[in-house]
């Protein structure tokens, strides 16, 4: 953490008491004024080479403070903090110091900023949710601002994440953030890695650990194998993986610690999927979220096109998309007609168990051949890959090279009857929180589809959830997998598989190409289904292995 950040206490800004916030802001202002004055004096003093490094460090420290203030001026739920932060930035600018401005166009690269709830325009209930989130983390992050399309889910998500990261539990706080870094890094998710590097340092984590996994304690290094398999090929997890962690002599994990770690790993693998699936932009105060360069005056500057709501490629996609507005309208009509027909078929006849099993195997096999045309290897950047080992290990379909993985039958081991109680027993209350989050995501509906109202979407939601579990080899005996091909077209399947299995490869084109007539809020809803189904799939494999070890 930079020297400038160390001496500033941001915590006071999270208080619900306006006097406490005012005092904290005044302290921050005074520190920034002092630093600004020092830099002005340096500029007016004849240059000496020996001063170069210390001046650069001073400027870097000030810049980090100014970037943090910029974030507060745009993202703090408390109006007094937003206004005062903006005032301090303007005061610094008047002294001749360059101040930062945001890069990009809002919390998501895929969703126009004007369609996302602006901080300061929320209602009382939403303000309480924003204030709670800000009080817990000291920020209102872009993930929250995109999830806010679905307040009921967001509330459950924030409550669960707060419990995992900050409430009493088996693991120390710095371990929790480091495990978050390890999990996010498996998908090269620099957005989450950057956030948790800052949180790790804030709770007293050793900066040396951030130089690479080999610098972390052996106990955390040992978790690397489970992290790797869980993220990319969870069906390969065995009780031997669990035994290796629980019986590692002085580096052993307790069962309670391991369950806490597994929940954190699955939470952050899934959150990486959401981050890429919704095109989450870097946070304003992090790398890539701001710049100190003045805006370009060129008419061709991407930043300035159409008042900041479109980038060049967005405009091209939209202009191309306009040609097929009628096509996308008919897509919605066709999907609704298929749902109606499937419901009628359900009422008329029911397939035999043998036929249902056969349809599952066909869908599982076909899911292997669903891949994007721009499906190429993504080489992880060093600043992310140092947090995990074996960078070449990634997602592989089950039956590639003749390898067969047995089908995981939910009737034999399921979340409701087995996983939930195991988590709750070893890490009290967390099973309940996760279960509530699963149920909200699965059952969430506004009875709308694109421009249609009063629609029962349960069939479609179940198809999405079960398709994801099918890709992981998980089968529900009572579900007809023939419905999936009827309801999910190829472009949608490509998007689902990419978000769930290789999220680092998601592109805006993929996001734009499925459900073209649907609202952005509906596409975010899809992502909530994807991340919760993925998390549950990973948990089922890990918890089944723990159960087998225990019995």
């Amino acid at each position: 953490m930079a020297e400038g950040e160390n001496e500033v206490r941001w915590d006071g800004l999270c208080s619900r008491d306006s006097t406490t916030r005012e005092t904290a802001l005044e302290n921050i202002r005074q520190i920034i004024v002092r630093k600004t004055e020092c830099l002005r004096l340096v500029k007016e003093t004849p240059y000496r080479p020996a001063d170069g490094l210390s001046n650069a460090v001073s400027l870097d420290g000030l810049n980090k403070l100014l970037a943090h203030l910029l974030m507060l001026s745009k993202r703090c739920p408390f109006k007094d903090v937003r206004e005062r932060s903006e005032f301090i930035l303007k005061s610094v600018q008047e002294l001749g110091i360059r101040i930062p401005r945001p890069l990009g166009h809002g919390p998501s690269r895929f969703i126009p900023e004007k369609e996302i709830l602006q901080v300061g325009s929320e209602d009382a209930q939403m303000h309480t949710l924003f204030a709670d989130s800000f009080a817990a983390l000291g920020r209102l992050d872009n993930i929250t601002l995109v999830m806010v399309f679905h307040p009921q889910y967001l509330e459950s998500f924030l409550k669960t994440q707060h419990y995992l990261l900050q409430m009493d539990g088996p693991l120390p706080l710095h371990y929790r953030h480091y495990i978050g870094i390890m999990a996010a890094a498996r998908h090269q998710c620099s957005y989450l890695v950057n956030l948790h590097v800052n949180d790790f340092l804030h709770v007293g984590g050793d900066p040396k650990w951030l130089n690479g996994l080999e610098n972390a304690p052996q106990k955390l290094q040992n978790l690397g194998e489970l992290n790797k398999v869980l993220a990319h090929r969870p069906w390969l997890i065995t009780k031997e993986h669990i035994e290796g962690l629980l019986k590692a002599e002085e580096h052993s994990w307790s069962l309670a610690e391991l369950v806490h770690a597994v929940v954190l790993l699955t939470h952050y693998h899934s959150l990486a999927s959401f981050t890429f699936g919704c095109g989450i932009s870097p946070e304003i105060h992090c790398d890539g979220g701001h710049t100190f360069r003045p805006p370009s005056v060129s008419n061709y500057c991407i930043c300035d096109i159409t008042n900041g709501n479109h980038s060049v490629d967005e405009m091209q996609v939209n202009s191309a998309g306009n040609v097929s507005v009628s096509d996308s309208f008919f897509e919605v009509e066709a999907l609704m007609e298929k749902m109606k027909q499937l419901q009628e078929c359900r009422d008329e006849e029911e397939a035999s168990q043998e036929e249902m099993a056969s349809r599952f195997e066909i869908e599982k096999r076909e899911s292997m051949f669903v891949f994007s045309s721009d499906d190429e290897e993504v080489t992880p950047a060093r600043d992310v890959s140092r947090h995990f080992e074996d960078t070449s290990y990634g997602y592989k379909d089950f039956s590639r090279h003749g390898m067969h993985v047995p089908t995981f039958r939910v009737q034999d081991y399921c979340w409701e009857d087995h996983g939930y109680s195991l988590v709750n027993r070893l890490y009290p209350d967390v099973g309940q929180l996760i279960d509530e989050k699963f149920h909200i995501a699965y059952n969430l509906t506004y009875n709308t589809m694109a421009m249609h109202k009063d629609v029962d979407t349960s069939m479609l939601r179940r198809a999405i959830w079960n398709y994801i579990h099918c890709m992981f080899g998980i089968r529900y005996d009572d579900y007809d997998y023939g419905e999936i091909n009827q309801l999910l077209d190829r472009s949608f399947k490509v998007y689902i598989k990419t978000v769930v299995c290789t999220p680092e490869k998601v592109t805006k084109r993929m996001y734009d190409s499925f459900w073209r007539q649907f609202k952005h809020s509906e596409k975010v809803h899809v992502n909530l289904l994807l991340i919760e189904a993925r998390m549950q799939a990973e948990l089922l494999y890990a918890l089944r292995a723990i159960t087998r070890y225990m019995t």
Side-chain angles (χ1 to χ4, degrees), residues 368-371 375 395-404 497:
M368 289 189 293
F369 302 106
V370 172
F371 55 88
D375 190 12
Y395 171 79
K396 289 283 185 294
D397 296 308
F398 299 1
S399 306
R400 290 250 177 108
H401 316 300
M403 182 180 72
H404 176 69
K497 185 172 180 180

PDB file of all heavy atoms in Angstrom, residues 368-371 375 395-404 497:
ATOM      1  N   MET A 368     -20.263 -30.813 -25.012  1.00  0.00           N
ATOM      2  CA  MET A 368     -18.820 -30.781 -25.264  1.00  0.00           C
ATOM      3  C   MET A 368     -18.482 -30.049 -26.548  1.00  0.00           C
ATOM      4  O   MET A 368     -17.385 -29.540 -26.713  1.00  0.00           O
ATOM      5  CB  MET A 368     -18.267 -32.209 -25.358  1.00  0.00           C
ATOM      6  CG  MET A 368     -18.241 -32.942 -24.050  1.00  0.00           C
ATOM      7  SD  MET A 368     -17.360 -34.485 -24.229  1.00  0.00           S
ATOM      8  CE  MET A 368     -18.428 -35.400 -25.316  1.00  0.00           C
ATOM      9  N   PHE A 369     -19.428 -30.035 -27.484  1.00  0.00           N
ATOM     10  CA  PHE A 369     -19.141 -29.449 -28.793  1.00  0.00           C
ATOM     11  C   PHE A 369     -19.656 -28.017 -28.917  1.00  0.00           C
ATOM     12  O   PHE A 369     -19.681 -27.454 -30.000  1.00  0.00           O
ATOM     13  CB  PHE A 369     -19.735 -30.346 -29.887  1.00  0.00           C
ATOM     14  CG  PHE A 369     -19.206 -31.749 -29.825  1.00  0.00           C
ATOM     15  CD1 PHE A 369     -20.000 -32.784 -29.343  1.00  0.00           C
ATOM     16  CD2 PHE A 369     -17.898 -32.034 -30.197  1.00  0.00           C
ATOM     17  CE1 PHE A 369     -19.504 -34.078 -29.256  1.00  0.00           C
ATOM     18  CE2 PHE A 369     -17.389 -33.320 -30.105  1.00  0.00           C
ATOM     19  CZ  PHE A 369     -18.186 -34.349 -29.636  1.00  0.00           C
ATOM     20  N   VAL A 370     -20.061 -27.467 -27.792  1.00  0.00           N
ATOM     21  CA  VAL A 370     -20.483 -26.065 -27.767  1.00  0.00           C
ATOM     22  C   VAL A 370     -19.262 -25.216 -27.418  1.00  0.00           C
ATOM     23  O   VAL A 370     -18.740 -25.293 -26.315  1.00  0.00           O
ATOM     24  CB  VAL A 370     -21.595 -25.831 -26.713  1.00  0.00           C
ATOM     25  CG1 VAL A 370     -21.885 -24.342 -26.569  1.00  0.00           C
ATOM     26  CG2 VAL A 370     -22.853 -26.584 -27.092  1.00  0.00           C
ATOM     27  N   PHE A 371     -18.770 -24.477 -28.390  1.00  0.00           N
ATOM     28  CA  PHE A 371     -17.664 -23.573 -28.090  1.00  0.00           C
ATOM     29  C   PHE A 371     -17.738 -22.371 -29.016  1.00  0.00           C
ATOM     30  O   PHE A 371     -18.342 -22.425 -30.082  1.00  0.00           O
ATOM     31  CB  PHE A 371     -16.308 -24.273 -28.206  1.00  0.00           C
ATOM     32  CG  PHE A 371     -16.056 -24.927 -29.533  1.00  0.00           C
ATOM     33  CD1 PHE A 371     -15.494 -24.206 -30.576  1.00  0.00           C
ATOM     34  CD2 PHE A 371     -16.403 -26.258 -29.754  1.00  0.00           C
ATOM     35  CE1 PHE A 371     -15.277 -24.792 -31.807  1.00  0.00           C
ATOM     36  CE2 PHE A 371     -16.187 -26.857 -30.993  1.00  0.00           C
ATOM     37  CZ  PHE A 371     -15.619 -26.115 -32.025  1.00  0.00           C
ATOM     38  N   ASP A 375     -12.737 -18.937 -29.607  1.00  0.00           N
ATOM     39  CA  ASP A 375     -12.285 -19.713 -28.452  1.00  0.00           C
ATOM     40  C   ASP A 375     -10.792 -19.960 -28.570  1.00  0.00           C
ATOM     41  O   ASP A 375     -10.344 -20.900 -29.195  1.00  0.00           O
ATOM     42  CB  ASP A 375     -13.043 -21.046 -28.418  1.00  0.00           C
ATOM     43  CG  ASP A 375     -12.804 -21.802 -27.119  1.00  0.00           C
ATOM     44  OD1 ASP A 375     -12.265 -21.204 -26.186  1.00  0.00           O
ATOM     45  OD2 ASP A 375     -13.170 -22.992 -27.066  1.00  0.00           O
ATOM     46  N   TYR A 395     -10.217 -25.622 -18.059  1.00  0.00           N
ATOM     47  CA  TYR A 395     -11.418 -26.437 -18.229  1.00  0.00           C
ATOM     48  C   TYR A 395     -11.214 -27.458 -19.339  1.00  0.00           C
ATOM     49  O   TYR A 395     -10.682 -27.164 -20.386  1.00  0.00           O
ATOM     50  CB  TYR A 395     -12.605 -25.538 -18.586  1.00  0.00           C
ATOM     51  CG  TYR A 395     -13.847 -26.308 -18.989  1.00  0.00           C
ATOM     52  CD1 TYR A 395     -14.661 -26.883 -18.016  1.00  0.00           C
ATOM     53  CD2 TYR A 395     -14.179 -26.492 -20.325  1.00  0.00           C
ATOM     54  CE1 TYR A 395     -15.796 -27.606 -18.373  1.00  0.00           C
ATOM     55  CE2 TYR A 395     -15.309 -27.210 -20.693  1.00  0.00           C
ATOM     56  CZ  TYR A 395     -16.111 -27.764 -19.713  1.00  0.00           C
ATOM     57  OH  TYR A 395     -17.219 -28.481 -20.065  1.00  0.00           O
ATOM     58  N   LYS A 396     -11.622 -28.681 -19.092  1.00  0.00           N
ATOM     59  CA  LYS A 396     -11.639 -29.719 -20.126  1.00  0.00           C
ATOM     60  C   LYS A 396     -12.988 -30.431 -20.062  1.00  0.00           C
ATOM     61  O   LYS A 396     -13.487 -30.730 -18.981  1.00  0.00           O
ATOM     62  CB  LYS A 396     -10.529 -30.749 -19.896  1.00  0.00           C
ATOM     63  CG  LYS A 396      -9.119 -30.223 -20.159  1.00  0.00           C
ATOM     64  CD  LYS A 396      -8.830 -30.154 -21.665  1.00  0.00           C
ATOM     65  CE  LYS A 396      -7.399 -29.739 -21.927  1.00  0.00           C
ATOM     66  NZ  LYS A 396      -7.072 -28.387 -21.526  1.00  0.00           N
ATOM     67  N   ASP A 397     -13.562 -30.688 -21.228  1.00  0.00           N
ATOM     68  CA  ASP A 397     -14.809 -31.443 -21.261  1.00  0.00           C
ATOM     69  C   ASP A 397     -14.572 -32.864 -20.761  1.00  0.00           C
ATOM     70  O   ASP A 397     -13.485 -33.400 -20.898  1.00  0.00           O
ATOM     71  CB  ASP A 397     -15.362 -31.492 -22.687  1.00  0.00           C
ATOM     72  CG  ASP A 397     -15.739 -30.115 -23.187  1.00  0.00           C
ATOM     73  OD1 ASP A 397     -16.488 -29.415 -22.470  1.00  0.00           O
ATOM     74  OD2 ASP A 397     -15.278 -29.728 -24.250  1.00  0.00           O
ATOM     75  N   PHE A 398     -15.626 -33.468 -20.220  1.00  0.00           N
ATOM     76  CA  PHE A 398     -15.512 -34.778 -19.570  1.00  0.00           C
ATOM     77  C   PHE A 398     -14.857 -35.833 -20.420  1.00  0.00           C
ATOM     78  O   PHE A 398     -13.915 -36.484 -20.034  1.00  0.00           O
ATOM     79  CB  PHE A 398     -16.905 -35.350 -19.271  1.00  0.00           C
ATOM     80  CG  PHE A 398     -17.717 -34.519 -18.371  1.00  0.00           C
ATOM     81  CD1 PHE A 398     -17.246 -33.330 -17.869  1.00  0.00           C
ATOM     82  CD2 PHE A 398     -18.974 -34.936 -18.007  1.00  0.00           C
ATOM     83  CE1 PHE A 398     -18.014 -32.561 -17.052  1.00  0.00           C
ATOM     84  CE2 PHE A 398     -19.748 -34.177 -17.171  1.00  0.00           C
ATOM     85  CZ  PHE A 398     -19.278 -32.979 -16.701  1.00  0.00           C
ATOM     86  N   SER A 399     -15.470 -36.063 -21.573  1.00  0.00           N
ATOM     87  CA  SER A 399     -15.136 -37.282 -22.296  1.00  0.00           C
ATOM     88  C   SER A 399     -14.096 -37.072 -23.386  1.00  0.00           C
ATOM     89  O   SER A 399     -13.951 -37.901 -24.269  1.00  0.00           O
ATOM     90  CB  SER A 399     -16.411 -37.878 -22.893  1.00  0.00           C
ATOM     91  OG  SER A 399     -17.362 -38.038 -21.861  1.00  0.00           O
ATOM     92  N   ARG A 400     -13.378 -35.955 -23.326  1.00  0.00           N
ATOM     93  CA  ARG A 400     -12.294 -35.756 -24.280  1.00  0.00           C
ATOM     94  C   ARG A 400     -11.276 -36.884 -24.097  1.00  0.00           C
ATOM     95  O   ARG A 400     -11.002 -37.316 -22.976  1.00  0.00           O
ATOM     96  CB  ARG A 400     -11.589 -34.411 -24.018  1.00  0.00           C
ATOM     97  CG  ARG A 400     -12.451 -33.209 -24.369  1.00  0.00           C
ATOM     98  CD  ARG A 400     -11.919 -32.490 -25.583  1.00  0.00           C
ATOM     99  NE  ARG A 400     -12.828 -31.387 -25.930  1.00  0.00           N
ATOM    100  CZ  ARG A 400     -12.517 -30.118 -25.746  1.00  0.00           C
ATOM    101  NH1 ARG A 400     -11.382 -29.790 -25.205  1.00  0.00           N
ATOM    102  NH2 ARG A 400     -13.356 -29.186 -26.122  1.00  0.00           N
ATOM    103  N   HIS A 401     -10.662 -37.302 -25.173  1.00  0.00           N
ATOM    104  CA  HIS A 401      -9.617 -38.342 -25.143  1.00  0.00           C
ATOM    105  C   HIS A 401     -10.126 -39.627 -24.493  1.00  0.00           C
ATOM    106  O   HIS A 401      -9.367 -40.353 -23.855  1.00  0.00           O
ATOM    107  CB  HIS A 401      -8.366 -37.842 -24.399  1.00  0.00           C
ATOM    108  CG  HIS A 401      -7.969 -36.447 -24.764  1.00  0.00           C
ATOM    109  ND1 HIS A 401      -7.638 -36.084 -26.054  1.00  0.00           N
ATOM    110  CD2 HIS A 401      -7.873 -35.316 -24.021  1.00  0.00           C
ATOM    111  CE1 HIS A 401      -7.347 -34.787 -26.090  1.00  0.00           C
ATOM    112  NE2 HIS A 401      -7.494 -34.294 -24.877  1.00  0.00           N
ATOM    113  N   GLY A 402     -11.414 -39.904 -24.626  1.00  0.00           N
ATOM    114  CA  GLY A 402     -11.957 -41.165 -24.139  1.00  0.00           C
ATOM    115  C   GLY A 402     -12.106 -41.271 -22.632  1.00  0.00           C
ATOM    116  O   GLY A 402     -12.463 -42.326 -22.115  1.00  0.00           O
ATOM    117  N   MET A 403     -11.818 -40.173 -21.908  1.00  0.00           N
ATOM    118  CA  MET A 403     -11.941 -40.221 -20.449  1.00  0.00           C
ATOM    119  C   MET A 403     -13.421 -40.148 -20.071  1.00  0.00           C
ATOM    120  O   MET A 403     -14.154 -39.292 -20.553  1.00  0.00           O
ATOM    121  CB  MET A 403     -11.197 -39.033 -19.841  1.00  0.00           C
ATOM    122  CG  MET A 403     -11.212 -38.995 -18.327  1.00  0.00           C
ATOM    123  SD  MET A 403     -10.310 -37.554 -17.721  1.00  0.00           S
ATOM    124  CE  MET A 403     -11.405 -36.220 -18.131  1.00  0.00           C
ATOM    125  N   HIS A 404     -13.852 -41.072 -19.222  1.00  0.00           N
ATOM    126  CA  HIS A 404     -15.264 -41.090 -18.842  1.00  0.00           C
ATOM    127  C   HIS A 404     -15.401 -40.716 -17.365  1.00  0.00           C
ATOM    128  O   HIS A 404     -14.698 -41.241 -16.518  1.00  0.00           O
ATOM    129  CB  HIS A 404     -15.862 -42.479 -19.075  1.00  0.00           C
ATOM    130  CG  HIS A 404     -17.280 -42.572 -18.620  1.00  0.00           C
ATOM    131  ND1 HIS A 404     -18.314 -41.909 -19.256  1.00  0.00           N
ATOM    132  CD2 HIS A 404     -17.845 -43.223 -17.560  1.00  0.00           C
ATOM    133  CE1 HIS A 404     -19.451 -42.162 -18.633  1.00  0.00           C
ATOM    134  NE2 HIS A 404     -19.195 -42.954 -17.596  1.00  0.00           N
ATOM    135  N   LYS A 497     -21.883 -21.511 -21.551  1.00  0.00           N
ATOM    136  CA  LYS A 497     -20.704 -22.355 -21.320  1.00  0.00           C
ATOM    137  C   LYS A 497     -19.453 -21.501 -21.089  1.00  0.00           C
ATOM    138  O   LYS A 497     -18.622 -21.816 -20.232  1.00  0.00           O
ATOM    139  CB  LYS A 497     -20.486 -23.299 -22.505  1.00  0.00           C
ATOM    140  CG  LYS A 497     -19.342 -24.284 -22.250  1.00  0.00           C
ATOM    141  CD  LYS A 497     -19.237 -25.341 -23.330  1.00  0.00           C
ATOM    142  CE  LYS A 497     -18.093 -26.273 -23.029  1.00  0.00           C
ATOM    143  NZ  LYS A 497     -17.927 -27.331 -24.051  1.00  0.00           N
TER     144      LYS A 497
END
